[in-house]
């Protein structure tokens, strides 16, 4: 067999491998314009970013609700609830369980804030909410103090937003 005849299969195989390697690379190469938003290149593929937030998107927060119901000299509270309705229902239930019965009414509903409930021995009430509990306390005591000099804080709590991302 001639040298040329022996070389032909080797050359054909080499050319075939080069063509197929190029075709294989084209199948696994990243897109010519890069990866879509929210993805990055790893090896020959676009993969989703798992740690990076979406561009322009900051942290996401869930609201947190609280409520105070009072009546007949007693009160009930709810805090860190997912909805306004749940906070109101829980506060009314707590007020009724504390002896307020049918006299219980929602006195305050608040969202993503702190609240203070102040009351005197004569049942004068002051309720206030604010981003800072110290401000809510000052305001609640001031409101209650318009009717009585013996007001004191009976309840204080915060229902602050919860970061989910």
């Amino acid at each position: 067999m001639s040298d040329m005849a022996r070389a032909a299969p080797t050359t054909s195989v080499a050319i075939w491998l080069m063509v197929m390697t190029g075709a294989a690379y084209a199948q696994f190469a990243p897109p010519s314009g890069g990866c879509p938003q929210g993805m990055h290149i790893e090896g020959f593929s676009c993969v989703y970013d798992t740690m990076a937030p979406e561009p322009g998107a900051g942290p996401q927060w869930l609201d947190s609700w609280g409520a105070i119901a009072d009546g007949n000299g007693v009160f009930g509270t709810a805090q860190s609830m997912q909805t306004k309705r749940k906070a109101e229902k829980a506060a009314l239930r707590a007020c009724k369980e504390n002896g307020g019965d049918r006299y219980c009414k929602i006195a305050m509903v608040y969202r993503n804030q702190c609240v203070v409930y102040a009351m005197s021995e004569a049942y004068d009430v002051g309720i206030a909410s604010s981003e800072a509990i110290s401000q809510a306390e000052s305001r609640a005591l001031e409101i209650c103090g318009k009717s009585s000099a013996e007001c004191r804080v009976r309840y204080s709590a915060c229902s602050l937003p919860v970061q989910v991302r």
Side-chain angles (χ1 to χ4, degrees), residues 21-148:
T21 303
Y25 178 78
Q27 286 180 338
F28 297 107
S32 60
C35 294
Q37 188 172 2
M39 299 181 88
H40 65 277
I41 296 172
E42 272 189 24
F44 295 112
S45 303
C46 291
V47 294
Y48 286 99
D49 296 334
T50 54
M51 300 305 284
E54 295 176 17
Q60 290 184 347
W61 299 84
L62 287 179
D63 289 336
S64 184
W65 292 84
I68 296 178
D70 71 345
N72 204 26
V74 299
F75 65 97
T77 64
Q79 72 181 73
S80 302
M81 304 300 275
Q82 292 178 349
T83 66
K84 177 182 177 183
R85 182 171 165 80
K86 286 181 181 180
E88 289 174 331
K89 286 177 75 173
L92 284 169
R93 183 174 45 251
C95 180
K96 289 175 183 178
E97 288 172 359
N98 290 335
D101 298 319
R102 68 176 192 269
Y103 299 104
C104 292
K105 304 282 186 244
I106 295 296
M108 175 165 289
V109 178
Y110 58 100
R111 176 179 59 111
N112 302 334
Q113 291 188 334
C114 299
V115 70
V116 172
Y117 181 93
M119 187 167 48
S120 71
E121 295 300 320
Y123 304 116
D124 297 309
V125 173
I127 305 170
S129 65
S130 177
E131 290 181 5
I133 200 147
S134 60
Q135 291 173 341
E137 182 175 327
S138 296
R139 183 73 180 126
L141 288 170
E142 178 185 326
I143 293 167
C144 181
K146 289 180 181 179
S147 302
S148 177

Side-chain angles (χ1 to χ4, degrees), residues 7-36:
T10 306
T11 304
S12 297
V13 170
I15 292 172
W16 182 81
L17 281 173
M18 287 181 3
V19 169
M20 291 312 290
T21 303
Y25 178 78
Q27 286 180 338
F28 297 107
S32 60
C35 294

